[in-house]
Amino acid sequence: MIPYTDTSPSLAPARIVAIETSSRIGSVAVALGPQLLTRRRFSHSLRHAVELMPAIRDLTRDQSWKPADIEHVYVSAGPGSFTGVRIAITVARALHQAIGCRLIAVPTVDVLALNAPAQTENLVVLLDAKRGQIYSARYRRILPGEDFSPTAAHPPVRIGGWVRTAGPLLTDPEQFIRETPRPLAMIGEGMDYHRAAIRNAAGDSTAVAELEQSLWPPRVENVHALGWTLAQAGKFISREDLLPIYLRKPEAEEVWEKKRGGGGYPAATESF
Amino acid sequence: MSLVLGIETTCDETSAAVVRDGRFVLSNVVWSQVALHARYGGVVPEIAARAHIESLNRIVDLALQEAAVSPCDLTAVGVANRPGLIGCLLVGATAAKAFSFAWNLPLMCVDHVHAHLYSACLFAAGSSSPSPVPPPLPAIGLVISGGHTSLYRIAGFCDMLRLGATVDDAVGEAFDKVAAILHLGYPGGPLVDRLARHGNPRALEFPISLLGRESLDFSFSGLKTAVLYHVNGPGGRQRDVTALTPSERADVAASFQHAVATALAAKLRRALERHPVRSVLIGGGVAANSEVRRTMETLGEALGLPVFLPAPPFCTDNAAMIAGLAAEWLRLGFKSGLDTPVVATI
């Protein structure tokens, strides 16, 4: 899904800015290679546009870094809030343009999966996508002796104790949960929006569990951890390719395609 | 000398420009999204925001290249942070903040509508025409575009007071809707203007809403509906424009345009009667309309006031006007913080 256009690995500890603005409360962190130095959570919800750049300025200044010292920027690239993700990606692209830092896109579903303790066999991430749908991904617990070396035939991407087996995708929550093997744990704020679908899919099964709510928000430290792993594997992305993972077309486009499929182009005067 | 990089993403144009000393435009790159929105008959905010993020960096690169300026030559970054479509504003404003931080340049957030009024001060550097005289202030300003129709009293470019605004459609919106009625396409302004050249502006008498004797507000919805009923019949659904001859269609376009220009001139005259000023500034995409330009210049001559109209490239949304106004604010010692919000409404 993500085109890795810059594949030379980063082996020396780099000066890193990590950004997570895919949900209501944003956060930003600075790190030196694998070591998280400090992070800041925004003061209120939906303050990404106001607080992100001051936070980057303050946190880098606290480390006595000049802007040009930033070597890597990792972003939680969605799916999630279109606006939130766009803000992070706009910053990353502009910083690349200005100072040439290298860029990493971390799927937001992986950021969430890393919150989940690998105590069950399977995991589903649920984020509300509106109109009765979810952004989701499915994970299975790592098998004993599983080969993660780059020389393996198809090395799976390791997300903490998990391997992603499906997604990120836009889907129907009931069907997706129904099709996921048991036992299963679920995580993400989408659970609050799709209770009926979850109930229908899970039935009375004790093999379907909800992880506690404190684990639902995406964390910037996970963006950093996953980003650093990707950086070491040389999975950087070009500025032009760094775009939000929307998964969903704009609503107007969906409506237009539906109308066209159902009998022709809407007359210009329909806008009155 | 100042060199300001301007960024404009308030609606459906992605633009970046470099302006020297607030007036001389070294580059003004505008990428219009019109083709992306044409099938919807208007701008779709989510599509516009997505297009801005995909194109902005390339447009900034082009603006710097065309101006033969490197980031280290710049004095400041200016951006329109209000008013506009929120998702679109966020892309431009966020990028400008990141550039300001990374290049260690002052950030100047300016009002897009005010910048339209500044656009008459701009001059394309390198062109053979003489440098224009700056407009004497105070002035009355009229912004006429697809999103705005407003009158201002301009004491200075950092001191503008809005006197009136549209209570329904913006004038450019009315052009788009009349173009749709006439099956001309989108955006409507240039298409109506082209068709109107072949018509008689006095062939039809469309209503001109003045909203009472004291009002400096505008209204165009009645005019638009009158055109709809004239073309499509009472109720607007009995026939369509194909029932009219080409000459009748041109008359509709010319008469509509004449009604618009008359309404704008009437309100401008009212404002000038109440506020003694030294000049008139016009800005916005509809300032490119030939009938509107002619009417405004005629009014200025009648009143003995100079009328400043932007050169055509600076009428529609563009970043040169943002950079120019940002330079003016910076000259007066203003500066915006990285925590400056975007604001959708005026």
Side-chain angles (χ1 to χ4, degrees), chain A residues 95-140:
Chain A
L95 290 178
H96 174 277
Q97 183 167 12
I99 57 177
C101 54
R102 301 172 84 185
L103 306 172
I104 294 272
V106 182
T108 301
V109 286
D110 291 350
V111 177
L112 273 166
L114 199 55
N115 279 356
Q119 289 165 351
T120 50
E121 296 296 318
N122 301 286
L123 176 74
V124 165
V125 169
L126 290 100
L127 293 164
D128 180 44
K130 298 178 182 158
R131 287 174 258 165
Q133 292 184 295
I134 53 167
Y135 302 121
S136 192
R138 184 182 289 141
Y139 301 78
R140 66 164 169 77

Tab-separated table of all heavy atoms in Angstrom, chain A residues 95-140:
chain	number	residue	atom	x	y	z
A	95	LEU	N	8.371	20.193	5.762
A	95	LEU	CA	9.695	20.081	6.387
A	95	LEU	C	10.672	19.396	5.436
A	95	LEU	O	11.839	19.779	5.333
A	95	LEU	CB	9.601	19.314	7.721
A	95	LEU	CG	8.901	20.066	8.855
A	95	LEU	CD1	8.825	19.189	10.112
A	95	LEU	CD2	9.608	21.384	9.190
A	96	HIS	N	10.191	18.393	4.722
A	96	HIS	CA	11.056	17.748	3.727
A	96	HIS	C	11.505	18.765	2.678
A	96	HIS	O	12.675	18.835	2.309
A	96	HIS	CB	10.319	16.585	3.056
A	96	HIS	CG	11.100	15.982	1.932
A	96	HIS	ND1	11.097	16.508	0.660
A	96	HIS	CD2	11.944	14.927	1.900
A	96	HIS	CE1	11.897	15.793	-0.114
A	96	HIS	NE2	12.419	14.833	0.612
A	97	GLN	N	10.543	19.560	2.204
A	97	GLN	CA	10.860	20.542	1.167
A	97	GLN	C	11.875	21.579	1.686
A	97	GLN	O	12.769	21.998	0.961
A	97	GLN	CB	9.581	21.261	0.734
A	97	GLN	CG	9.770	22.257	-0.394
A	97	GLN	CD	8.454	22.707	-0.990
A	97	GLN	OE1	7.387	22.449	-0.427
A	97	GLN	NE2	8.512	23.354	-2.129
A	98	ALA	N	11.715	21.952	2.945
A	98	ALA	CA	12.544	23.022	3.499
A	98	ALA	C	13.923	22.538	3.931
A	98	ALA	O	14.914	23.246	3.746
A	98	ALA	CB	11.822	23.671	4.676
A	99	ILE	N	13.983	21.351	4.536
A	99	ILE	CA	15.268	20.942	5.136
A	99	ILE	C	15.735	19.561	4.668
A	99	ILE	O	16.793	19.093	5.082
A	99	ILE	CB	15.184	20.955	6.686
A	99	ILE	CG1	14.054	20.053	7.185
A	99	ILE	CG2	15.028	22.373	7.203
A	99	ILE	CD1	13.950	19.950	8.693
A	100	GLY	N	14.928	18.908	3.833
A	100	GLY	CA	15.364	17.640	3.244
A	100	GLY	C	15.309	16.443	4.164
A	100	GLY	O	15.973	15.430	3.904
A	101	CYS	N	14.529	16.503	5.239
A	101	CYS	CA	14.444	15.352	6.146
A	101	CYS	C	13.781	14.171	5.439
A	101	CYS	O	13.032	14.345	4.480
A	101	CYS	CB	13.676	15.719	7.414
A	101	CYS	SG	12.058	16.415	7.086
A	102	ARG	N	14.049	12.961	5.918
A	102	ARG	CA	13.463	11.758	5.307
A	102	ARG	C	12.129	11.460	5.986
A	102	ARG	O	11.919	11.781	7.165
A	102	ARG	CB	14.430	10.582	5.432
A	102	ARG	CG	15.753	10.884	4.752
A	102	ARG	CD	16.780	9.803	5.035
A	102	ARG	NE	16.646	8.675	4.108
A	102	ARG	CZ	17.369	7.549	4.215
A	102	ARG	NH1	18.231	7.384	5.220
A	102	ARG	NH2	17.216	6.584	3.335
A	103	LEU	N	11.230	10.828	5.234
A	103	LEU	CA	9.837	10.684	5.681
A	103	LEU	C	9.423	9.219	5.805
A	103	LEU	O	9.787	8.392	4.964
A	103	LEU	CB	8.904	11.378	4.680
A	103	LEU	CG	9.229	12.852	4.371
A	103	LEU	CD1	8.347	13.356	3.229
A	103	LEU	CD2	9.025	13.706	5.615
A	104	ILE	N	8.640	8.960	6.837
A	104	ILE	CA	8.083	7.612	7.044
A	104	ILE	C	6.583	7.752	7.294
A	104	ILE	O	6.154	8.580	8.103
A	104	ILE	CB	8.712	6.929	8.289
A	104	ILE	CG1	10.202	6.647	8.083
A	104	ILE	CG2	7.939	5.682	8.680
A	104	ILE	CD1	10.551	5.338	7.435
A	105	ALA	N	5.792	6.929	6.604
A	105	ALA	CA	4.340	6.876	6.843
A	105	ALA	C	4.021	5.625	7.638
A	105	ALA	O	4.364	4.520	7.215
A	105	ALA	CB	3.599	6.846	5.506
A	106	VAL	N	3.381	5.807	8.783
A	106	VAL	CA	2.987	4.659	9.611
A	106	VAL	C	1.471	4.530	9.538
A	106	VAL	O	0.754	5.480	9.895
A	106	VAL	CB	3.420	4.871	11.080
A	106	VAL	CG1	3.042	3.664	11.917
A	106	VAL	CG2	4.907	5.151	11.169
A	107	PRO	N	0.932	3.383	9.091
A	107	PRO	CA	-0.525	3.241	9.087
A	107	PRO	C	-1.089	3.377	10.499
A	107	PRO	O	-0.559	2.778	11.446
A	107	PRO	CB	-0.737	1.826	8.535
A	107	PRO	CG	0.514	1.518	7.765
A	107	PRO	CD	1.618	2.219	8.512
A	108	THR	N	-2.145	4.165	10.633
A	108	THR	CA	-2.706	4.426	11.962
A	108	THR	C	-3.231	3.147	12.615
A	108	THR	O	-3.188	3.008	13.839
A	108	THR	CB	-3.813	5.490	11.845
A	108	THR	OG1	-3.226	6.675	11.293
A	108	THR	CG2	-4.423	5.822	13.188
A	109	VAL	N	-3.715	2.209	11.827
A	109	VAL	CA	-4.183	0.944	12.422
A	109	VAL	C	-3.038	0.233	13.142
A	109	VAL	O	-3.247	-0.386	14.198
A	109	VAL	CB	-4.828	0.029	11.347
A	109	VAL	CG1	-6.194	0.533	10.942
A	109	VAL	CG2	-3.923	-0.143	10.128
A	110	ASP	N	-1.822	0.333	12.606
A	110	ASP	CA	-0.677	-0.305	13.274
A	110	ASP	C	-0.328	0.429	14.569
A	110	ASP	O	0.085	-0.186	15.553
A	110	ASP	CB	0.548	-0.304	12.348
A	110	ASP	CG	0.375	-1.238	11.144
A	110	ASP	OD1	-0.601	-2.010	11.139
A	110	ASP	OD2	1.204	-1.169	10.225
A	111	VAL	N	-0.487	1.753	14.535
A	111	VAL	CA	-0.227	2.548	15.747
A	111	VAL	C	-1.143	2.070	16.867
A	111	VAL	O	-0.730	1.941	18.034
A	111	VAL	CB	-0.452	4.053	15.457
A	111	VAL	CG1	-0.263	4.883	16.713
A	111	VAL	CG2	0.499	4.528	14.350
A	112	LEU	N	-2.386	1.759	16.509
A	112	LEU	CA	-3.349	1.272	17.506
A	112	LEU	C	-3.047	-0.158	17.914
A	112	LEU	O	-3.138	-0.517	19.097
A	112	LEU	CB	-4.762	1.357	16.930
A	112	LEU	CG	-5.432	2.699	17.135
A	112	LEU	CD1	-6.651	2.818	16.259
A	112	LEU	CD2	-5.819	2.848	18.603
A	113	ALA	N	-2.702	-0.989	16.953
A	113	ALA	CA	-2.449	-2.402	17.269
A	113	ALA	C	-1.310	-2.535	18.273
A	113	ALA	O	-1.322	-3.440	19.117
A	113	ALA	CB	-2.125	-3.162	15.983
A	114	LEU	N	-0.359	-1.624	18.183
A	114	LEU	CA	0.779	-1.700	19.104
A	114	LEU	C	0.364	-1.417	20.549
A	114	LEU	O	1.084	-1.744	21.485
A	114	LEU	CB	1.872	-0.714	18.654
A	114	LEU	CG	3.273	-0.940	19.192
A	114	LEU	CD1	3.784	-2.335	18.904
A	114	LEU	CD2	4.241	0.102	18.626
A	115	ASN	N	-0.808	-0.830	20.718
A	115	ASN	CA	-1.338	-0.624	22.078
A	115	ASN	C	-1.817	-1.934	22.714
A	115	ASN	O	-2.001	-1.997	23.923
A	115	ASN	CB	-2.555	0.316	22.040
A	115	ASN	CG	-2.168	1.779	21.964
A	115	ASN	OD1	-1.005	2.109	22.012
A	115	ASN	ND2	-3.160	2.649	21.846
A	116	ALA	N	-2.100	-2.937	21.875
A	116	ALA	CA	-2.800	-4.131	22.372
A	116	ALA	C	-1.819	-5.187	22.854
A	116	ALA	O	-0.927	-5.589	22.102
A	116	ALA	CB	-3.658	-4.709	21.247
A	117	PRO	N	-1.971	-5.645	24.089
A	117	PRO	CA	-1.128	-6.756	24.546
A	117	PRO	C	-1.486	-8.021	23.764
A	117	PRO	O	-2.658	-8.299	23.540
A	117	PRO	CB	-1.505	-6.904	26.030
A	117	PRO	CG	-2.817	-6.220	26.182
A	117	PRO	CD	-2.933	-5.204	25.093
A	118	ALA	N	-0.471	-8.740	23.321
A	118	ALA	CA	-0.718	-9.919	22.468
A	118	ALA	C	-1.087	-11.122	23.336
A	118	ALA	O	-0.353	-12.105	23.417
A	118	ALA	CB	0.502	-10.186	21.607
A	119	GLN	N	-2.259	-11.013	23.973
A	119	GLN	CA	-2.682	-12.095	24.877
A	119	GLN	C	-3.725	-13.005	24.248
A	119	GLN	O	-4.031	-14.067	24.781
A	119	GLN	CB	-3.231	-11.479	26.174
A	119	GLN	CG	-2.125	-10.865	27.011
A	119	GLN	CD	-2.644	-9.941	28.097
A	119	GLN	OE1	-3.819	-9.617	28.157
A	119	GLN	NE2	-1.743	-9.504	28.958
A	120	THR	N	-4.329	-12.559	23.144
A	120	THR	CA	-5.274	-13.427	22.437
A	120	THR	C	-4.672	-13.786	21.078
A	120	THR	O	-3.647	-13.256	20.685
A	120	THR	CB	-6.622	-12.718	22.221
A	120	THR	OG1	-6.361	-11.440	21.650
A	120	THR	CG2	-7.406	-12.591	23.494
A	121	GLU	N	-5.371	-14.664	20.373
A	121	GLU	CA	-4.840	-15.133	19.084
A	121	GLU	C	-4.971	-14.069	17.996
A	121	GLU	O	-4.116	-13.957	17.125
A	121	GLU	CB	-5.598	-16.394	18.630
A	121	GLU	CG	-5.413	-17.597	19.541
A	121	GLU	CD	-3.958	-18.072	19.559
A	121	GLU	OE1	-3.333	-18.123	18.492
A	121	GLU	OE2	-3.453	-18.334	20.670
A	122	ASN	N	-6.091	-13.318	18.048
A	122	ASN	CA	-6.390	-12.397	16.941
A	122	ASN	C	-6.798	-11.026	17.467
A	122	ASN	O	-7.317	-10.908	18.584
A	122	ASN	CB	-7.528	-12.955	16.084
A	122	ASN	CG	-7.171	-14.313	15.523
A	122	ASN	OD1	-6.373	-14.418	14.606
A	122	ASN	ND2	-7.736	-15.372	16.108
A	123	LEU	N	-6.609	-10.027	16.613
A	123	LEU	CA	-6.927	-8.651	16.994
A	123	LEU	C	-7.586	-7.940	15.810
A	123	LEU	O	-7.166	-8.125	14.659
A	123	LEU	CB	-5.630	-7.912	17.365
A	123	LEU	CG	-5.771	-6.420	17.692
A	123	LEU	CD1	-6.411	-6.225	19.073
A	123	LEU	CD2	-4.402	-5.731	17.665
A	124	VAL	N	-8.613	-7.157	16.130
A	124	VAL	CA	-9.215	-6.298	15.107
A	124	VAL	C	-9.182	-4.857	15.612
A	124	VAL	O	-9.548	-4.593	16.763
A	124	VAL	CB	-10.669	-6.721	14.792
A	124	VAL	CG1	-11.406	-5.639	14.022
A	124	VAL	CG2	-10.681	-8.007	13.986
A	125	VAL	N	-8.723	-3.945	14.737
A	125	VAL	CA	-8.763	-2.509	15.042
A	125	VAL	C	-10.023	-1.938	14.415
A	125	VAL	O	-10.338	-2.225	13.252
A	125	VAL	CB	-7.510	-1.811	14.465
A	125	VAL	CG1	-7.674	-0.293	14.524
A	125	VAL	CG2	-6.271	-2.241	15.215
A	126	LEU	N	-10.761	-1.148	15.192
A	126	LEU	CA	-11.991	-0.539	14.670
A	126	LEU	C	-11.935	0.973	14.834
A	126	LEU	O	-11.799	1.489	15.948
A	126	LEU	CB	-13.220	-1.041	15.440
A	126	LEU	CG	-13.635	-2.484	15.249
A	126	LEU	CD1	-13.136	-3.310	16.408
A	126	LEU	CD2	-15.141	-2.585	15.155
A	127	LEU	N	-12.033	1.677	13.697
A	127	LEU	CA	-12.136	3.143	13.718
A	127	LEU	C	-13.389	3.521	12.942
A	127	LEU	O	-13.636	2.972	11.860
A	127	LEU	CB	-10.909	3.768	13.040
A	127	LEU	CG	-9.587	3.565	13.774
A	127	LEU	CD1	-8.413	3.874	12.843
A	127	LEU	CD2	-9.524	4.444	15.002
A	128	ASP	N	-14.157	4.451	13.480
A	128	ASP	CA	-15.407	4.809	12.800
A	128	ASP	C	-15.113	5.513	11.476
A	128	ASP	O	-14.328	6.463	11.433
A	128	ASP	CB	-16.248	5.719	13.699
A	128	ASP	CG	-17.544	6.111	13.017
A	128	ASP	OD1	-18.179	5.211	12.414
A	128	ASP	OD2	-17.917	7.300	13.062
A	129	ALA	N	-15.759	5.046	10.417
A	129	ALA	CA	-15.599	5.681	9.102
A	129	ALA	C	-16.888	6.364	8.658
A	129	ALA	O	-17.001	6.785	7.506
A	129	ALA	CB	-15.176	4.646	8.071
A	130	LYS	N	-17.880	6.440	9.557
A	130	LYS	CA	-19.196	7.026	9.275
A	130	LYS	C	-19.936	6.187	8.222
A	130	LYS	O	-19.366	5.280	7.644
A	130	LYS	CB	-19.082	8.486	8.843
A	130	LYS	CG	-18.460	9.336	9.954
A	130	LYS	CD	-18.288	10.774	9.542
A	130	LYS	CE	-17.618	11.523	10.693
A	130	LYS	NZ	-16.952	12.733	10.305
A	131	ARG	N	-21.187	6.547	8.027
A	131	ARG	CA	-22.065	5.848	7.082
A	131	ARG	C	-22.065	4.333	7.313
A	131	ARG	O	-22.038	3.533	6.389
A	131	ARG	CB	-21.668	6.175	5.636
A	131	ARG	CG	-22.078	7.599	5.257
A	131	ARG	CD	-21.565	7.972	3.893
A	131	ARG	NE	-20.394	8.810	4.001
A	131	ARG	CZ	-19.553	9.070	3.023
A	131	ARG	NH1	-19.736	8.559	1.852
A	131	ARG	NH2	-18.525	9.870	3.219
A	132	GLY	N	-22.030	3.934	8.616
A	132	GLY	CA	-22.169	2.528	8.975
A	132	GLY	C	-20.934	1.686	8.722
A	132	GLY	O	-20.995	0.453	8.822
A	133	GLN	N	-19.805	2.321	8.410
A	133	GLN	CA	-18.612	1.543	8.086
A	133	GLN	C	-17.465	1.828	9.063
A	133	GLN	O	-17.533	2.775	9.843
A	133	GLN	CB	-18.157	1.865	6.657
A	133	GLN	CG	-19.155	1.365	5.606
A	133	GLN	CD	-18.639	1.613	4.209
A	133	GLN	OE1	-18.491	2.756	3.798
A	133	GLN	NE2	-18.358	0.555	3.474
A	134	ILE	N	-16.458	0.979	8.979
A	134	ILE	CA	-15.265	1.175	9.816
A	134	ILE	C	-14.007	1.143	8.945
A	134	ILE	O	-13.997	0.531	7.878
A	134	ILE	CB	-15.121	0.090	10.915
A	134	ILE	CG1	-15.189	-1.317	10.298
A	134	ILE	CG2	-16.151	0.282	12.014
A	134	ILE	CD1	-14.752	-2.420	11.234
A	135	TYR	N	-12.978	1.835	9.446
A	135	TYR	CA	-11.633	1.584	8.956
A	135	TYR	C	-11.089	0.492	9.867
A	135	TYR	O	-11.200	0.594	11.092
A	135	TYR	CB	-10.746	2.818	9.078
A	135	TYR	CG	-11.265	4.026	8.345
A	135	TYR	CD1	-11.535	5.207	9.029
A	135	TYR	CD2	-11.474	3.992	6.971
A	135	TYR	CE1	-12.001	6.327	8.361
A	135	TYR	CE2	-11.942	5.115	6.300
A	135	TYR	CZ	-12.205	6.280	7.000
A	135	TYR	OH	-12.671	7.375	6.345
A	136	SER	N	-10.503	-0.518	9.284
A	136	SER	CA	-10.136	-1.639	10.123
A	136	SER	C	-8.884	-2.333	9.609
A	136	SER	O	-8.410	-2.081	8.495
A	136	SER	CB	-11.304	-2.629	10.188
A	136	SER	OG	-11.078	-3.567	11.209
A	137	ALA	N	-8.375	-3.206	10.450
A	137	ALA	CA	-7.285	-4.098	10.063
A	137	ALA	C	-7.340	-5.298	11.002
A	137	ALA	O	-7.850	-5.203	12.117
A	137	ALA	CB	-5.940	-3.399	10.158
A	138	ARG	N	-6.828	-6.411	10.494
A	138	ARG	CA	-6.862	-7.666	11.281
A	138	ARG	C	-5.411	-8.098	11.531
A	138	ARG	O	-4.561	-7.972	10.642
A	138	ARG	CB	-7.595	-8.726	10.461
A	138	ARG	CG	-7.801	-10.049	11.138
A	138	ARG	CD	-8.488	-11.012	10.179
A	138	ARG	NE	-9.882	-10.646	9.941
A	138	ARG	CZ	-10.474	-10.745	8.755
A	138	ARG	NH1	-9.807	-11.178	7.698
A	138	ARG	NH2	-11.744	-10.415	8.613
A	139	TYR	N	-5.167	-8.608	12.714
A	139	TYR	CA	-3.823	-9.039	13.094
A	139	TYR	C	-3.900	-10.424	13.717
A	139	TYR	O	-4.920	-10.787	14.310
A	139	TYR	CB	-3.202	-8.080	14.125
A	139	TYR	CG	-3.102	-6.648	13.626
A	139	TYR	CD1	-4.230	-5.813	13.616
A	139	TYR	CD2	-1.902	-6.139	13.152
A	139	TYR	CE1	-4.155	-4.518	13.140
A	139	TYR	CE2	-1.821	-4.837	12.675
A	139	TYR	CZ	-2.953	-4.032	12.679
A	139	TYR	OH	-2.874	-2.756	12.206
A	140	ARG	N	-2.815	-11.200	13.606
A	140	ARG	CA	-2.728	-12.448	14.372
A	140	ARG	C	-1.468	-12.401	15.223
A	140	ARG	O	-0.499	-11.694	14.877
A	140	ARG	CB	-2.717	-13.664	13.449
A	140	ARG	CG	-1.505	-13.762	12.570
A	140	ARG	CD	-1.325	-15.133	11.967
A	140	ARG	NE	-0.302	-15.108	10.928
A	140	ARG	CZ	1.005	-15.078	11.182
A	140	ARG	NH1	1.453	-15.059	12.426
A	140	ARG	NH2	1.872	-15.068	10.179
